[in-house]
Amino acid sequence: MIIRVETPQDYAQVYALHDMAFNNKDEESALVERIRTSDTFVPELSLVAVEGEEIIGHVLLSKAHVVTPSGSKQEVLALAPIGVKPSHQKYGVGSKLIVEGIKRATELAYPLVLLIGHPDYYPKFGFVPARSHGLDLKQFPVPDHVFMVRELQEGQLGTIQGELQYPSCFMG
């Protein structure tokens, strides 16, 4: 398996992969397509896991903003979606995609990455509850334990505070 940046030739396979990974619901597939056509898309952070000629996993980190109490905006990343072909789930494909995505996002000097995700899965990648670090999310009703953040640049966690605002492409 190799992990590489997604290319336009991969788009149909990535769409089908998310459709399969999310029980034939195309919401995540459509989200990927909306992000790709928005100004929040970071091509270097749309990664695929490939085995032979087959795409078996995909992760996307895209731009979002934290609006500070003073009203200024801090650019951060949102991790969503991540999908792995059902036949390849539980073999570490998703973990490898997340680790590589975090590595590349760190190299690109983004300060934080935030997500809504399973509280038993994401902490192993350094994610912690975001609200306890001065971050909030009001666009979606989510419990504290599933709204998480990971620091990418030392000293940013707790320094950047305010409300995470997902871009409009996340709204469908």
Side-chain angles (χ1 to χ4, degrees):
M1 179 185 79
I2 64 161
I3 295 176
R4 62 168 172 77
V5 173
E6 175 193 48
T7 68
Q9 293 77 25
D10 300 327
Y11 290 179
Q13 273 194 76
V14 168
Y15 189 98
L17 175 132
H18 283 292
D19 194 43
M20 283 185 283
F22 291 94
N23 299 316
N24 298 316
K25 296 176 186 165
D26 71 349
E27 294 152 3
E28 302 298 320
S29 302
L31 173 61
V32 171
E33 290 192 341
R34 288 193 309 270
I35 292 170
R36 279 194 204 115
T37 60
S38 76
D39 61 357
T40 67
F41 184 56
V42 182
E44 304 91 335
L45 297 177
S46 184
L47 304 175
V48 291
V50 182
E51 203 171 68
E53 297 295 314
E54 180 184 22
I55 294 175
I56 59 171
H58 175 252
V59 67
L60 182 56
L61 292 94
S62 57
K63 297 176 194 174
H65 288 96
V66 170
V67 179
T68 68
S70 67
S72 67
K73 290 183 177 183
Q74 290 281 326
E75 192 171 72
V76 296
L77 292 173
L79 190 158
I82 179 163
V84 175
K85 196 171 180 184
S87 60
H88 289 76
Q89 291 175 0
K90 308 278 188 228
Y91 294 103
V93 175
S95 293
K96 288 177 180 153
L97 283 165
I98 291 168
V99 168
E100 185 65 22
I102 288 169
K103 176 181 168 267
R104 292 178 188 220
T106 301
E107 290 168 356
L108 291 171
Y110 286 96
L112 303 173
V113 60
L114 293 105
L115 59 79
I116 300 168
H118 200 285
D120 293 333
Y121 182 70
Y122 289 97
K124 67 182 171 184
F125 305 106
F127 286 90
V128 296
R131 287 191 176 106
S132 62
H133 292 280
L135 296 160
D136 201 3
L137 178 60
K138 297 177 183 171
Q139 289 171 298
F140 307 105
V142 296
D144 291 352
H145 65 285
V146 301
F147 175 46
M148 292 181 263
V149 62
R150 186 190 192 283
E151 182 177 68
L152 299 175
Q153 303 300 320
E154 191 173 336
Q156 297 301 302
L157 190 59
T159 300
I160 296 175
Q161 295 188 337
E163 181 187 345
L164 172 65
Q165 292 192 340
Y166 281 93
S168 60
C169 59
F170 275 79
M171 305 313 152

